[in-house]
Amino acid sequence: MKLLFAIVQNDDQKSLTYALIEKNISVTRIASTGGFLRGGNTTLMIGVEPNRLDETLAIISEHSRRRTVVTVPASGIPHNIDSAAMPMSVTVGGATVFELDVAQTYKY
Ligand code: 2BA
């Protein structure tokens, strides 16, 4: 089994979760916070068989939009702007996905 951690924007998580459930792909939603923007995002934990990996990634891609936000970065976070208080334009997403191999799955 593969385990995907998909970090998506809150505005996308609902339609993405519905689309996955509709295809019988199990998903667990975890409320998370981006370190840079300090804004809420959602991390989806998705366990899938390898033969459904491409299908799952396609669904994530289809339902994750890229957005540009103007923000003041979190203080202490290194970035390319001289002043930490200066608003900057940041492109977020669509989704950041990590793929892991699962050694074993247990359900009791
Ligand atoms: P945040 O950390 O809040 O980052 C939001 C967006 O800000 C990022 O979008 C990126 O475009 C920008 N950004 C982040 N750090 C930056 C920096 N030091 N200088 C300039 N711009 C910066 P995404 O790359 O699409 O990431 C969206 C969210 O996905 C992130 O929210 C974070 O929660 C997660 N994420 C992305 N890459 C990750 C990684 N390698 N490990 C863990 N979480 C990650």
Side-chain angles (χ1 to χ4, degrees):
M1 182 176 261
K2 296 282 189 182
L3 180 61
L4 300 178
F5 284 102
I7 303 165
V8 300
Q9 295 174 64
N10 285 343
D11 288 345
D12 293 329
Q13 63 88 10
K14 211 171 193 171
S15 75
L16 173 53
T17 304
Y18 284 154
L20 292 167
I21 295 297
E22 204 171 46
K23 297 284 183 184
N24 276 324
I25 298 170
S26 292
V27 56
T28 296
R29 282 184 289 199
I30 303 168
S32 47
T33 304
F36 190 69
L37 293 182
R38 294 168 294 179
N41 53 28
T42 300
T43 300
L44 301 180
M45 199 172 93
I46 307 162
V48 281
E49 294 304 329
N51 63 350
R52 300 200 70 189
L53 182 62
D54 289 346
E55 177 192 0
T56 305
L57 290 171
I59 294 170
I60 295 171
S61 170
E62 187 186 333
H63 290 270
S64 302
R65 280 185 43 215
R66 187 171 283 196
R67 295 179 181 85
T68 300
V69 298
V70 176
T71 184
V72 176
S75 60
I77 305 276
H79 54 87
N80 297 330
I81 305 285
D82 286 341
S83 166
M86 185 180 286
M88 61 188 291
S89 179
V90 175
T91 302
V92 190
T96 299
V97 183
F98 300 96
E99 174 193 324
L100 289 80
D101 288 316
V102 175
Q104 197 61 256
T105 305
Y106 303 97
K107 287 189 180 179
Y108 300 108

